[in-house]
Amino acid sequence: MRRIVLLLGLFIFLASCGKDPSGVPDVPVVFRASLGNPVYSGLAYPGNHVEVTGYGVAGLILYRSAFSGLVAYDRCSTVNPEKRCVVKVDGTGITATDPCSGAIFSLEDGSPQKEPGKKPLRTYYVSENNGIISVSN
């Protein structure tokens, strides 16, 4: 009986490792771009963003935060992520809206700013080296 409980506990632990709290499905992400490319050159300055398709669940938002540096979010809304609604950056450039639910998210930290959003946007690891941006999970 003790072995069964131990194995069950180990299984639960391993199954929960690496889960993202956003609820957005886990897919491999490996993206690289040069800040020398005109499409991405604006990311050198705080407040600018670029939307990238073909990566993550619903694409990526790369955003240069005034406080956190360069951040990357999946464009898949965390409100009913199984629907894969694509958040769109608003005209202000500091928030993104889920057109399916109306939820609004801050691009500074991905946090929900308007109901029904409760979970932050899924984030990815970002590094910059010699003008090259790398995004991964």
Side-chain angles (χ1 to χ4, degrees), residues 51-86:
E51 294 171 312
V52 180
T53 59
Y55 294 89
V57 173
L60 302 174
I61 297 172
L62 304 177
Y63 178 77
R64 175 68 70 176
S65 167
F67 306 104
S68 307
L70 193 59
V71 294
Y73 304 107
D74 201 296
R75 292 182 67 198
C76 182
S77 176
T78 57
V79 178
N80 302 314
E82 67 280 358
K83 292 184 178 178
R84 298 183 183 217
C85 287
V86 178

Side-chain angles (χ1 to χ4, degrees), residues 9-28:
L10 181 62
F11 174 76
I12 291 170
F13 172 75
L14 292 175
S16 66
C17 288
K19 296 279 185 183
D20 185 85
S22 70
V24 173
D26 189 24
V27 298

Side-chain angles (χ1 to χ4, degrees), residues 46-133:
N48 288 337
H49 76 278
V50 173
E51 294 171 312
V52 180
T53 59
Y55 294 89
V57 173
L60 302 174
I61 297 172
L62 304 177
Y63 178 77
R64 175 68 70 176
S65 167
F67 306 104
S68 307
L70 193 59
V71 294
Y73 304 107
D74 201 296
R75 292 182 67 198
C76 182
S77 176
T78 57
V79 178
N80 302 314
E82 67 280 358
K83 292 184 178 178
R84 298 183 183 217
C85 287
V86 178
V87 298
K88 297 178 181 10
V89 176
D90 301 328
T92 64
I94 58 172
T95 57
T97 299
D98 171 356
C100 299
S101 70
I104 297 176
F105 302 89
S106 168
L107 293 181
E108 281 296 323
D109 61 5
S111 65
Q113 302 297 300
K114 180 183 173 200
E115 293 286 336
K118 296 192 183 331
K119 297 177 180 177
L121 294 172
R122 181 182 182 128
T123 59
Y124 293 107
Y125 175 75
V126 180
S127 65
E128 287 182 81
N129 193 6
N130 296 323
I132 302 295
I133 302 165

